Amino acid sequence: MDVMRRHFWIFVFLGAALAGAAAFAPTAHAVLEVDITRGNIEPLPIAIPGLSPEGLTDTDTAAGTLEQLGAKISRVISADLERSGLFRPIDPAAFIRLPTAAEVRPRFSNWRAIAAQALVTGKVSLEPDGRARIEFRLWDVFAESQMTGLRYVAPPQNWRRVAHLISDAIYRRLTGEAGYFDSRIVYISESGPKTQRVKRLSIMDQDGANHRFLTSGEDLVLTPRFSPSRQEITYMAYYNDQPRVYLYNIDTGKHEVLGDFPNMTFAPRFSPDGNRVIMSLAEAGNSDVYLMDLRTRAVRRLTTHPGIDTSPSFSPDGTHIVFNSDRGGSQQLYVMRADGSDIHRISFGNGRYATPVWSPRGDLIAFTKISQAKFRIGVMRQDGSGERLLTDSYQDEGPTWSPNGRVLMYFRQIPSDAQGEGGSTSLWSVDLTGYNERPVTAPNDASDPAWSPLIR
Amino acid sequence: MDDLRLGFIFSAVFHVTLVAVGIVGIPALKRDLAPLPEAIPVELVTVDDINRIRAAARRAKLQPKPQRTAEAPPAATRQAPDAAPDAVPLPDAKPAKKPQIKPRTKPKIMPTAALRSKPKPPSSLDTGRLAALIDKSIRETEAAPRAPEKDNRKRLEEAVRSSQLASLGARRSTATLEAMVQAQVERCWNPPAGAKDAQDLIVKIRIWLTLEGKLVRPPQILGQSFFSSAQDSFYRVAAESAARAVRRCAPYTLPRDRYDQWSEIDLKFDPSQMLGG
C-alpha cells in the first residue's frame, strides 16, 4: 500500500513536472531576434486629395466655391510638406477613387495600392455665419487607424493660414517635432541698378505668399531680426548716414528707435524672451557686445576686449551667447555666459567664421564659414564639435533658423559676369541633412532673411 | 511514516523543480552563449535590392519637380506689390485684435478624433479570416514540426559526434534566417530622419507570423517605458515607422520547414548606423 502510494505520488510529481515543462517550453523557446539597422532615408509617401466640400458644393465663399477652397487648401498642404523634404505627396492623377464628405473611413486598400503610407482626408463646409469650417484627418494607411484629426473655424479668406496650420499638425504628428509652416520671413528686398540700389524691409509667408513691403526704400535698411516671442522685428537703418537700431511691431505698424547711441551700432538680435536686445557697438575702431533691456533701456557692456566682437546670438535657454571675434588673430566663434563671463573659443577649422546663430532647438549653432574663397553655411554643436557644411556655392551667408530648428534660410549671391550682367541675390533654404536645398520665391532680389516664430 | 512521506514530498518537489530548471534553463543559457553573428547578412544583399534602392532614389529625385512647377503659377500673382491690402493682411496674424474680422478669426481647434469616425477596425479586418489564420497556424505548427523533428534528432545525433561542427551549423542557419528577415524588413523601413538625437530612438517590436508569413495580430511594441516624456513624441513616431515597415512588408517569405523558429520574431529597429554622426 505504502509502496503504491509512494509510486502514486511519484507519478503525480513527474506528471506535474512534465506538464510544467510543457507549459514553460513555448515561452522559453528562443524568439528569433533580428536587428534592423538599415532602411531607406526617403520622403514618406503621403496622399492628400482635395478636401471634400460638404453641403452645397458650389456655394460661393469669400475665397471661391467650397470645392475650390478644398482644392486650394490641399494644394498648399502638399506644397508645404513637399518642401520640407520629409514627405513625398503622391500625384493626384494616381488616386484610384477620391474620398467623399460622407465617407467616415477611407478605403485603405485603394491607398496602399498606390504606395501611400499616410493619407489626409477632410471636409470644408460653411457655417451659418459665413465662416468656413475646415476639418481634416490624418490616417496611417497600413495600420488603418486615425493618427490625428482637427477642425478649424475661420473666415474663408484665411484659408492659407488654416492650410499651414494643418501642415504643421501633420508634420508634428509624423515627425514628432513642431512644424514651421505657419510662420513668416522678413528680409531685405533689393531692386534697381548696383549704383542706386533700393533696399526695402519686406515680409512674406514662409512659402513666399502674401508678400508685402514694410519700408518705402528711402533709407538703407539692414539686418532685420525677428523677436523669438513676438511679432516684432529689430533692424538697422541709416538715417542721416548714421546707422541706428530700430524696433518695428508688425501688428501695430509702429517703428521706434531703440536708442540714440553716439557710436555705430551693429547686428542687433533679440534675447529668447524678447525683452532684451543684444548687439555690438563700435567705439574708436573697437566693437564690443552690449545688452539692452527694452523696458528700462538700460545698456550693459558684456565684452571688453580690444579685438572686434560682433554678431552675438543667445542660446534658446538664455544662459549663453555665441559671437564672433578676431581676438585670437582671425575671425572665429566664441561662447560666453549671458553675463559675459567664461569666454571660450569654439571654432578651430580652417578659415574664418561669421554670423553665428543659435538653433531654437538648442542643439546646434549655424554660421557662415569663409574659406577657400567661398562663403558657405554650416552648423556645429555648442562645444564646437560636429562641424558640417550644408551648402557649397560661391557665396551663401546670413543663416536664420526655422522655428523648429530643422531648416536654415540664407541668401545666395551669384556674381555678375565680366559685362556686369547676371549677378543676383536670392533667398535659399536647406534642411539639416544638407540634401534638401531650395530657392525661396521672392519678387525681387532678396537678402538678409529672418525667420519668425510660429504665428499662433 | 508521515514525516517520511512529507520528507519525500519535499524531496520530490525539489528534484522536480531542479529538473524543470534544467529543461527550461538550458535553452536560455544556450541562447546567451551563442552571440548573433554580425557579418553574414551582407551575403543576402542582392543586385535586386540595390537596383530597387537606386530606382527609389531616382524616383525621389525626379518626383519633386512636377510638384514644384505645379506650385509655380502663384508666383505671378505674388509679383503684384499691391497684394498686401486685399490678401489676408499681415496683422490678421493676430486676428483677434482686428475689428473687421470677427473676433473668432483665430481658428478654433477641436479634436474631432474618434467623434465621428466610429472606428470599426475589427469588422474591416475580418476577424473570421484572422481566426482562420490563427487556427491554421496552430494546426500547421502541430503538424509540421513532427516530421522534421525526427530528422532533426537524427541530424543532431550525428552532430553530437562532432559538436563543433554542429554548433557552427546551427549558428549559420539562424543567421541565414535572420538575414532573410532583415532583408525583407529593411526594404520597407523609412526611419524618421532629422529628429533630435534620432540615432538613440531604438524600437523593439514583436511580431507573430502565420505559416504564410502573414501577421497573426498587430505588431507589439516592447518596453517603451524608459523614454523620457520629452522624447515621447519622437519615440512614438519611431515606433510607428517600425510598425509600418513590418506591415508593409508582410507577407514574409521564409522557409516553411523552419516555421517553429520564425513564428515569433523580435525586431530591433536601430537607426544609429544610418543617422549617427
Side-chain angles (χ1 to χ4, degrees), chain A residues 35-36 151 173 184 208, chain B residues 78 90 108 182 240 268:
Chain A
D35 282 4
I36 306 298
R151 177 189 304 150
R173 187 59 187 82
R184 296 185 282 203
Chain B
R78 268 181 231 140
L90 274 167
K108 265 202 198 159
Q182 227 170 22
E240 282 169 350
K268 190 171 114 191

Side-chain angles (χ1 to χ4, degrees), chain A residues 359-439:
Chain A
S359 152
R361 184 157 96 162
D363 54 343
L364 294 167
I365 291 167
F367 52 81
T368 306
K369 183 171 185 176
I370 303 125
S371 64
Q372 296 159 5
K374 277 181 172 177
F375 286 59
R376 283 174 289 190
I377 305 296
V379 292
M380 62 170 67
R381 289 193 272 270
Q382 77 174 83
D383 59 1
S385 65
E387 179 178 328
R388 284 190 297 140
L389 292 178
L390 301 176
T391 73
D392 186 17
S393 181
Y394 167 72
Q395 192 164 347
D396 292 339
E397 54 186 312
T400 177
W401 289 97
S402 65
N404 68 352
R406 197 136 146 176
V407 182
L408 284 161
M409 196 176 286
Y410 51 92
F411 68 103
R412 168 169 295 176
Q413 280 176 273
I414 294 169
S416 41
D417 58 21
Q419 286 79 41
E421 302 280 313
S424 72
T425 307
S426 56
L427 304 185
W428 285 71
S429 70
V430 68
D431 71 356
L432 279 184
T433 67
Y435 290 113
N436 184 34
E437 189 178 36
R438 290 158 187 251

Side-chain angles (χ1 to χ4, degrees), chain B residues 81-274:
Chain B
D82 60 342
D86 348 281
V88 195
L90 274 167
D92 285 5
K94 293 254 173 185
K97 289 177 193 159
K98 274 276 152 179
Q100 84 266 31
I101 291 161
K102 299 229 170 73
R104 293 274 243 7
T105 324
K106 166 141 199 195
K108 265 202 198 159
I109 304 175
M110 293 167 258
T112 54
L115 262 180
R116 304 277 230 67
S117 52
K118 274 201 184 140
K120 291 192 285 176
S123 69
S124 71
L125 250 170
D126 196 348
T127 33
R129 253 168 49 210
L130 204 73
L133 290 177
I134 296 166
D135 286 343
K136 210 185 289 167
S137 74
I138 291 164
R139 243 178 285 129
E140 267 154 353
T141 25
E142 277 169 355
R146 289 282 173 258
E149 225 168 57
K150 264 184 194 163
D151 283 6
N152 274 347
R153 205 171 299 146
K154 245 184 226 165
R155 243 185 289 144
L156 272 173
E157 275 164 16
E158 276 171 28
V160 167
R161 280 168 224 141
S162 52
S163 60
Q164 260 189 331
L165 255 176
S167 74
L168 202 73
R171 272 172 61 175
R172 209 212 253 128
S173 72
T174 29
T176 321
L177 203 55
E178 219 174 273
M180 291 174 90
V181 175
Q182 227 170 22
Q184 293 180 56
V185 176
E186 286 179 346
R187 218 179 45 209
C188 298
W189 185 36
N190 286 359
K196 198 174 168 187
D197 301 325
Q199 67 274 14
D200 301 335
L201 294 170
I202 293 167
V203 176
K204 273 190 144 185
I205 280 193
R206 177 165 297 177
I207 58 172
W208 292 266
L209 298 174
T210 68
L211 193 61
E212 285 76 33
K214 292 182 184 161
L215 294 174
V216 174
R217 52 177 131 147
Q220 186 194 336
I221 291 152
L222 307 171
Q224 61 199 83
S225 50
F226 57 90
F227 276 88
S228 70
S229 61
Q231 283 294 84
D232 265 359
S233 59
F234 291 130
Y235 181 77
R236 177 165 70 157
V237 167
E240 282 169 350
S241 89
R244 213 177 293 129
V246 165
R247 287 190 159 107
R248 256 179 90 195
C249 284
Y252 296 87
T253 318
L254 295 166
R256 287 186 169 220
D257 58 334
R258 285 159 65 194
Y259 178 66
D260 57 328
Q261 290 174 56
W262 54 261
S263 61
E264 204 174 331
I265 309 176
D266 277 358
L267 298 163
K268 190 171 114 191
F269 288 82
D270 177 359
S272 55
Q273 286 179 34
M274 305 165 63

